[in-house]
Amino acid sequence: MVKHMLLLATLSAATTLSGNSIALAGPLTDAAAQAEKLAASGDAAKARDLLLKAMSDFSQTLPFAIGKAIFVSKQPTGYAMYQPRDGSVFKEGESLISYIEPIGLSWKDAAEKGKLESHFTVDFDILNPKGDALAGQKAFGDFTFTGYLRNQEIYSTLTIDVSGAPAGDYVLRFHFNDVNSGKTASVDQPFKIAGP
């Protein structure tokens, strides 16, 4: 009987927790359910638009951060269309190419009526393993994206020339500056320049 009561109490608690989760599901879950209905009725275009709008709205609640930062072997051809570099050891004179995806960008009304705009700049520093800055540049990159939706498929490709640097271990640090919000996000990419 005691075991039975404990089982009922456990099931009751699980049901309460599950019920709270459903009640707090939120706009993304609601949009997904509506999109599934639209798609099932044959309206794939409206289903897709609904999901894009929901993601656009949700993106405004995210903190500004870096979602992905990797060295790549060549210039990407688009968002998530990159070739990861095999390792982070570079030959003397070889450029560093970084593919980076910022998330949580702020958007504001653009000059063109009906459009939105995000704007960010990128600074970089090259550090030694102790964290001392050896080189750097403010506003090395300056990116503006304008469109009818708060696009989430945004990336930047940043190429740094380290020719002349001696062999050794380093850290490439990027500082992304969201111009619209004043927020910043940083990411480190350790790398090594091989000796001759």
Side-chain angles (χ1 to χ4, degrees):
M1 181 70 168
V2 172
K3 286 182 182 178
H4 181 68
M5 295 297 281
L6 285 173
L7 179 61
L8 283 176
T10 303
L11 288 173
S12 242
T15 303
T16 302
L17 289 173
S18 174
N20 287 343
S21 297
I22 292 169
L24 300 174
L28 283 178
T29 304
D30 295 343
Q34 290 174 18
E36 285 178 351
K37 287 178 186 175
L38 285 167
S41 72
D43 199 341
K46 275 190 185 173
R48 178 182 170 272
D49 288 347
L50 180 66
L51 287 176
L52 288 174
K53 169 93 171 65
M55 281 300 296
S56 170
D57 293 343
F58 176 70
S59 73
Q60 294 302 279
T61 68
L62 297 173
F64 184 52
I66 304 301
K68 179 181 292 278
I70 60 170
F71 289 120
V72 294
S73 59
K74 59 184 178 180
Q75 293 288 329
T77 56
Y79 181 82
M81 297 178 194
Y82 56 85
Q83 180 61 46
R85 189 177 192 288
D86 187 21
S88 59
V89 178
F90 294 82
K91 299 174 188 168
E92 286 187 40
E94 187 178 2
S95 292
L96 313 177
I97 306 172
S98 296
Y99 169 91
I100 303 178
E101 296 175 0
I103 56 174
L105 284 165
S106 296
W107 293 77
K108 67 175 188 175
D109 291 336
E112 189 175 338
K113 187 176 179 176
K115 288 191 174 182
L116 299 166
E117 179 178 280
S118 69
H119 181 198
F120 62 93
T121 62
V122 183
D123 312 328
F124 81 87
D125 291 307
I126 296 180
L127 313 170
N128 66 19
K130 294 178 185 177
D132 302 319
L134 305 173
Q137 185 177 337
K138 299 285 185 197
F140 171 74
D142 192 331
F143 302 89
T144 301
F145 295 89
T146 305
Y148 291 103
L149 186 69
R150 294 178 191 100
N151 190 349
Q152 300 311 297
E153 294 184 348
I154 291 178
Y155 72 97
S156 60
T157 306
L158 302 160
T159 303
I160 307 292
D161 181 355
V162 290
S163 56
D169 293 319
Y170 299 91
V171 175
L172 174 58
R173 177 172 293 161
F174 287 112
H175 305 278
F176 278 63
N177 311 294
D178 185 341
V179 174
N180 293 340
S181 71
K183 295 178 181 175
T184 62
S186 297
V187 64
D188 288 354
Q189 290 185 281
F191 70 96
K192 180 176 187 167
I193 297 176

